[in-house]
Amino acid sequence: MATITQIQTHAQNYVKGNSNLLSAEEIRIAQTINNLVTTYHPWRWSIVAGTNVTTASGTQEYNLDAADQNRVHKLNEAWLVSAGTALFPLIIYDWIAVPTIGTTGQPYGISLITEARVHLYPTPGAVYTLSHRFHTSGTVFTANTESYDAPARFDETIKEGVIWKFLEFLDDGRAPDKQKSFYDLLNHQKRIDMRKQHEVRS
């Protein structure tokens, strides 16, 4: 995984700029590209384990653990645990929120309604432990020594993205071509990721 500074230096060299070129924008450009890459597709490498949440009877909506809030891009899987036994996986509703309902029972559905809150359906009629895994929305950078979230095989893609943003800042006519190249490379990585998701393990 490349660091912000390594990619920045590459972009400066590409546009034949000095070492201070756009240094004031270094972290902002890196953040933009990191966000675009991380949230472009539910990558296998972006899955992290969430902290368990305890439900209450009669309550449908729950805050995620503070450590997970504003980090969730998409739920990957979720399930309930009752008396130490994992129950069947919950159905994840990605594009619509499960409805608000007063009826209680054992939930079978879940939806992410914000990056910090989830709805269960139906409303839990007992105490459960909600376990989940999610695709992270990516690191919030604070220093140029940090690394991009994507694995090393994405370095060329990230370089194209940062060069695109450099050229855009400089009103350089090559920016649209670099933008296209960046998204072409992202789509190539997406195809690889989707193929690996469907590989049969022996």
Side-chain angles (χ1 to χ4, degrees), residues 43-186:
W43 309 102
R44 291 176 306 117
W45 50 261
S46 71
I47 299 170
V48 297
T51 303
N52 290 344
V53 175
T54 301
T55 73
S57 179
T59 302
Q60 186 176 16
E61 190 174 314
Y62 295 90
N63 286 327
L64 296 175
D65 186 83
D68 297 334
Q69 291 182 11
N70 302 315
R71 295 181 59 218
V72 182
H73 170 55
K74 182 180 185 297
L75 289 173
N76 172 256
E77 60 178 337
W79 63 97
L80 297 176
V81 178
S82 177
T85 300
L87 307 177
F88 53 81
L90 296 171
I91 299 168
I92 297 171
Y93 292 85
D94 278 330
W95 307 113
I96 56 171
V98 295
T100 301
I101 190 170
T103 304
T104 61
Q106 182 180 315
Y108 60 83
I110 186 171
S111 59
L112 186 70
I113 55 172
T114 71
E115 291 180 321
R117 294 177 71 78
V118 293
H119 251 158
L120 293 173
Y121 184 86
T123 300
V127 174
Y128 300 98
T129 298
L130 170 63
S131 295
H132 63 288
R133 285 155 49 94
F134 62 87
H135 296 274
T136 180
S137 57
T139 299
V140 176
F141 294 136
T142 58
N144 62 7
T145 53
E146 293 179 87
S147 296
Y148 287 84
D149 289 316
R153 66 184 173 87
F154 280 74
D155 284 358
E156 290 306 311
T157 306
I158 292 167
K159 286 176 186 176
E160 289 294 285
V162 173
I163 291 170
W164 158 40
K165 287 299 175 184
F166 261 60
L167 295 174
E168 201 172 63
F169 264 97
L170 297 171
D171 293 324
D172 190 303
R174 295 172 292 174
D177 287 340
K178 279 296 175 185
Q179 180 183 18
K180 181 180 183 304
S181 176
F182 168 68
Y183 280 106
D184 285 347
L185 288 169
L186 261 186

